[in-house]
Amino acid sequence: MKFFSTLTAITAGLALCFSLSSCNNSDQPEEFKVQQQITDSFIHISDLSGMQSEMNYKGVSYNIIYDYVEATADVTIKGLKLPGDQQFPALSITKIPFKVTNDGSRVLEGSNLAATSTGFAESQLFNSFKMVVSDRLIDNYYFPAVCIEYTVNSTYKATGSILSQIFVGTTVTTDINGHSFSNETPAYVLELDPQTMKAALTINNAKFIQSMPAQTMTFAGIPYTVSDNGIVTLESTETIIPTINKVEFKAFPISDLKAEYNLTTGMNLNFVCSIDKSQMKPEMADKIEGSPFTVNAKLPFIKKSSNEAQ
């Protein structure tokens, strides 16, 4: 599965770097630190007072240094902007408590944290800060699940994650007669555009029915919203014409698309796929019965390698 090559630039900003130093007279490490950079992320800012409009933008980065001996983490946030033209080139928060959960996720969480910034006399108060990072390997590419939530100066609630995410799981298609077809070969790439608040969803190895040849197709221009509790909701009331190699594939119009993407746990996706046989070759059209088809994909984040056949 090679379609991830278009997203390799993302992984460069998600790598982990380890440093370990041990003292001479003890088996316990004097220092065990892990550095991680999350450079390609979006952020949603809401004004808790309701006085200012929400903000959605990209370009916020996080440099994290995990200290496994002290069980704390230092985080530097770059590119944060708040309503009222407040911009911070870099904000540094130190000594955030962190833990590793049973499933391997790293959870940073603290309250009333002071963030300092060069050039600003006053620190910014992070009333709450929570970051959950779950390591995931998909086709040998590192795509962690990331959920970032914090409140600044008791006024602004921020929610964010990486711009592009990959999902794998089970896709079930049910025809008009109630017959189902299930498979785990599709892989879904979701790309968010905070400037337009539209998403593109690319499905690799899309195969909704047994007789359908596997395709890589893209659903573009899907409206989405971001909530304060880490949920991205995609919903389109209009018919979507998939594209294959940037060419419209009118034989499979998509309708009633809705997805809920939980930044911590994964995504559930539903849509209806109709068949327009007038857009198909007769020999292919004769093989398809049961339209329209309801497609349901359950795509939880998986904390292990999910290598698919080449």
Side-chain angles (χ1 to χ4, degrees):
M1 186 170 59
K2 298 299 185 184
F3 80 115
F4 297 127
S5 61
T6 60
L7 297 174
T8 53
I10 300 171
T11 63
L14 299 174
L16 294 172
C17 302
F18 296 84
S19 65
L20 171 65
S21 63
S22 301
C23 58
N24 294 329
N25 299 320
S26 172
D27 292 333
Q28 297 298 318
E30 180 182 88
E31 182 179 84
F32 182 14
K33 294 184 178 181
V34 178
Q35 182 173 351
Q36 182 171 31
Q37 291 186 339
I38 300 173
T39 60
D40 201 2
S41 67
F42 72 87
I43 194 165
H44 167 81
I45 305 283
S46 62
D47 184 346
L48 298 177
S49 70
M51 299 294 291
Q52 308 227 35
S53 300
E54 67 178 32
M55 299 176 66
N56 293 279
Y57 57 95
K58 61 182 179 180
V60 181
S61 66
Y62 301 85
N63 184 75
I64 312 156
I65 299 177
Y66 306 96
D67 187 330
Y68 278 81
V69 175
E70 298 292 334
T72 62
D74 298 343
V75 176
T76 299
I77 307 171
K78 293 184 177 181
L80 180 64
K81 297 179 289 186
L82 298 175
D85 293 326
Q86 301 179 72
Q87 300 187 38
F88 304 94
L91 285 166
S92 297
I93 311 172
T94 60
K95 304 295 184 182
I96 305 170
F98 99 91
K99 64 182 179 181
V100 179
T101 63
N102 291 335
D103 64 9
S105 299
R106 292 182 296 283
V107 180
L108 292 67
E109 189 168 13
S111 57
N112 297 322
L113 304 169
T116 59
S117 180
T118 302
F120 289 81
E122 296 183 358
S123 60
Q124 306 300 312
L125 179 63
F126 280 62
N127 308 90
S128 64
F129 183 96
K130 185 175 183 179
M131 177 183 290
V132 181
V133 181
S134 303
D135 297 329
R136 301 168 65 237
L137 284 178
I138 305 293
D139 198 42
N140 293 323
Y141 287 92
Y142 179 62
F143 278 89
V146 179
C147 182
I148 305 166
E149 300 174 282
Y150 46 85
T151 302
V152 184
N153 297 330
S154 301
T155 305
Y156 305 111
K157 176 66 184 293
T159 303
S161 185
I162 56 178
L163 275 171
S164 300
Q165 186 55 274
I166 297 175
F167 306 87
V168 293
T170 302
T171 301
V172 178
T173 305
T174 304
D175 68 17
I176 197 171
N177 300 311
H179 301 134
S180 296
F181 171 73
S182 176
N183 73 115
E184 297 183 353
T185 57
Y188 299 75
V189 176
L190 179 66
E191 299 177 87
L192 303 177
D193 184 348
Q195 185 174 353
T196 63
M197 295 303 290
K198 300 287 181 69
L201 181 66
T202 298
I203 310 175
N204 183 67
N205 288 328
K207 185 176 175 66
F208 304 137
I209 56 178
Q210 185 67 53
S211 59
M212 174 183 171
Q215 305 278 358
T216 295
M217 59 177 59
T218 298
F219 306 160
I222 307 169
Y224 75 90
T225 59
V226 183
S227 71
D228 290 341
N229 59 347
I231 303 294
V232 178
T233 301
L234 294 78
E235 187 168 11
S236 178
T237 58
E238 299 181 356
T239 299
I240 299 172
I241 303 300
T243 58
I244 298 176
N245 295 324
K246 299 183 179 181
V247 177
E248 288 188 341
F249 197 59
K250 296 181 180 180
F252 289 93
I254 303 301
S255 61
D256 299 320
L257 185 148
K258 186 170 184 178
E260 184 176 279
Y261 166 24
N262 185 307
L263 298 178
T264 303
T265 61
M267 183 170 73
N268 289 328
L269 169 69
N270 298 279
F271 59 87
V272 175
C273 178
S274 302
I275 306 298
D276 185 351
K277 293 188 177 183
S278 68
Q279 301 291 330
M280 306 173 67
K281 295 181 179 179
E283 58 269 25
M284 181 180 293
D286 291 342
K287 297 179 181 179
I288 300 177
E289 299 293 338
S291 173
F293 302 92
T294 300
V295 180
N296 174 263
K298 294 187 180 298
L299 310 168
F301 287 138
I302 300 172
K303 311 296 192 304
K304 63 181 181 180
S305 177
S306 297
N307 296 318
E308 297 190 27
Q310 303 294 315

